[in-house]
Each structure stands twice: as structure tokens, then as C-alpha cells.
Amino acid sequence: MTMATTGQDVVGETRAFNARMARILGRFPPLHKIDDVALARSADGPWATPPRLPEGRDRTVPGRAGDVPVRVFTPPEVTGVYLFLHSGGRVVGSAAYQDQQLWDLARGARVAVVSADYRLAPENPHPAAPDDCEDVARWLVGTARRAFGTDRLVIGGESSGAELAVRTLLRLRDTDGSHRAFRGAYLAYGFYDMSLTPSARSFGEDGPLVTTPVIRWLMDRAFPGMSPEELRDPSISPLYADLHDLPPARFVVGTRDPVLDDTLFMAARWSAAGNATDLEVVVEAVHGFTMFPIEVGARELARGREFVARCVLG
């Protein structure tokens, strides 16, 4: 395993941004206090609805519960396909919320990007989200060469999307070995223990964006009625799964992220299982830092593009 701690040279900017974001978010009640899923998904909050780019194309792929919507970005030159799974704790978020980031990735890494709009809880609790992600992955395994001219695949995601990426690989591996079609996994600040790792349990309410109560609120809706013991089942929390025979992975997380331990523990287990592993820990970065206009975010987006391109060409 290779490991790096980065961001020391711009930690002043990162801390200033964190403080500014905390002040902005302080004017809005957090998710667990709103306790209204529809409102949490609406535009009535601190973040403007991101623009949809004309380069994105909406389509559907077949799934076991019906068609699964996906958003597709295809650059002029395609050397591979990246399956992206969005963040949101399986409760909020959308495949259409990161168009600029995904279009930049598509052009920079020369990959077609397929962003899955998996079903959300509480309307569709576990296992709806991993079912949809697995179905889109299987569709890519079977049709990527015909649809995009290449069968070189990479999978990845952020936050809950990183967990869903790992879950998808495990399901493919344990069913028919088709996970080997994926040459790499990009896993940004993922949740891997639904019963909460020590950092997630102890983080408390003092932090921007994601806190312990927010995580518990999300988990209660995505996995209703489950005890901590049930949540630690390997089919629920991939941190406890057998991780052998998985592709090279890049893990990244910030030191001010409540799920810091999730990434540290999962990267260690990924490596111990014999898989190639890169781990980067970013000083003072918060959960979701790649989504914000700060230097550490821009750097990680560039490194993520480099990782995806390297996996496709390797």
C-alpha cells in the first residue's frame, strides 16, 4: 500500500473555507433536525442546484425492478468507461448534480462516464440502491464494447457512492467473477461501516455538512429497523466483507471527516487482502471536499482523473 498525507502547504486556505462553510450552514437546520426527506432533496438550502450541461445525455438501462436512469457523458475520444455512483447517504443526491465534474473527468481521462441514478430511501430502502448499481454494472460488462467501443471499465464514487462501488464489486465477484471487467476503483471518503466506525460515532455535531447525528439519520432511513449487529453483516457493511481478488483502488479522505476511520480501515483491509492500494489523507479536509472550490479539492479531482486514466490504459 502506498500512503501520502497532503494539503499541508495550503492548510490555511482549507481551514478558512471550512470556517466560512460552517457559518453558511449555520443559517440552515441540519438534515436530522429538518427530518423531512422531500425538503432535504429540494433546492431550499445553502447550495444552488447545479447546472445541467448539454454534454450530458439521459437514458435508461434495464434493471431487475425496472429501468434504471443513467446520465452519460461521452468525450470525443473514448479509451474506457467509468461507472460513477453519486453521494447522498442513499437518501439524497442525484446523477445530475455533478455534471461539470463528470464532464471534466470524461475529457481529462478520455472515458465515457455513466452516472447511475439509483433508487433512494426511505421510499426504496436497502437493497434497492445496490441492486440498481449492480444492474448498471452488469449492463456495462455486457454492452460497453458495443455501446462505447471499449470494454475497459473503472468504477467509483463518493461517500455512499464509494460504498456502493465496493458493494457492486463484491456482488459481481461472488456471483460470477464479472468484477474482473473493472480495472480499478476510485473511492472518495466512503462509508463502509453502517453501524458507524469510532470516528463517525465520536465526531459529534461540531462540523460542517456531515456530523454524527446526520449520519445516523441517513442510516435510519436507508436501513430501517436494523440493529448495530445486523448493520455489521458483511452484506450490509463492506468493511467486514472478504476483500480478496479486487481491483486496484485509490482511497482519499480528509482529516476532518467523520468517516475518516472508514477509509483508513478499509484501505488497510483492501491492502491486507492482497489488492493494490493507494491511500491519500488530506489535512483538514472535510467530508465532500472535492465538491468545493478549494485547492485541495481541485488537486484531488486532477489525481482522480489521472488514476482513472491509468487504470483504463494499464
Side-chain angles (χ1 to χ4, degrees), residues 3-65:
M3 178 177 176
T5 301
T6 63
Q8 297 99 326
D9 60 320
V10 290
V11 69
E13 182 206 33
T14 306
R15 286 173 176 159
F17 178 82
N18 294 346
R20 188 163 62 253
M21 182 166 64
R23 288 193 297 272
I24 293 171
L25 291 173
R27 300 197 292 266
F28 298 86
L31 284 178
H32 67 286
K33 291 186 178 179
I34 295 174
D35 197 23
D36 184 324
V37 171
L39 184 59
R41 294 173 185 166
S42 76
D44 297 326
W47 315 119
T49 301
R52 288 169 59 92
L53 299 184
E55 291 82 3
R57 180 169 59 91
D58 295 318
R59 61 162 298 173
T60 60
V61 302
R64 71 195 73 183

Side-chain angles (χ1 to χ4, degrees), residues 46-250:
W47 315 119
T49 301
R52 288 169 59 92
L53 299 184
E55 291 82 3
R57 180 169 59 91
D58 295 318
R59 61 162 298 173
T60 60
V61 302
R64 71 195 73 183
D67 288 346
V68 181
V70 297
R71 192 150 170 79
V72 181
F73 298 84
T74 307
E77 181 182 2
V78 175
T79 59
V81 184
Y82 179 61
L83 173 56
F84 176 77
L85 307 175
H86 69 78
S87 62
R90 299 199 188 184
V91 176
V92 298
S94 165
Y97 278 12
Q98 289 168 279
D99 275 17
Q100 189 63 61
Q101 176 182 328
L102 297 182
W103 180 232
D104 289 344
L105 171 64
R107 290 179 298 170
R110 295 184 301 170
V111 294
V113 177
V114 177
S115 181
D117 218 359
Y118 54 83
R119 287 171 290 164
L120 299 176
E123 301 92 334
N124 298 284
H126 183 81
D131 284 352
D132 287 353
C133 295
E134 179 186 355
D135 291 343
V136 175
R138 290 191 179 281
W139 173 80
L140 276 176
V141 171
T143 67
R145 177 165 287 281
R146 182 168 66 254
F148 300 104
T150 176
D151 57 6
R152 295 170 176 256
L153 307 180
V154 182
I155 192 170
E158 300 163 345
S159 191
S160 56
E163 174 263 319
L164 288 166
V166 174
R167 174 61 53 209
T168 298
L169 289 170
L170 292 172
R171 283 182 167 208
L172 297 180
R173 182 198 67 186
D174 295 343
T175 303
D176 57 13
S178 57
H179 70 295
R180 295 191 182 93
F182 290 89
R183 297 163 171 252
Y186 176 71
L187 306 170
Y189 37 83
F191 290 82
Y192 305 113
D193 182 352
M194 305 309 141
S195 70
L196 277 63
T197 55
S199 65
R201 291 197 304 269
S202 64
F203 192 82
E205 298 191 53
D206 184 20
L209 200 61
V210 176
T211 63
T212 300
V214 168
I215 295 171
R216 292 193 185 280
W217 185 85
L218 293 168
M219 295 301 99
D220 286 347
R221 278 139 194 83
F223 306 93
M226 291 190 181
S227 68
E229 291 75 19
E230 290 172 319
L231 290 171
R232 283 190 285 271
D233 187 285
S235 67
I236 302 292
S237 294
L239 182 62
Y240 300 97
D242 176 355
L243 299 177
H244 79 280
D245 188 26
L246 292 174
R250 174 174 174 80

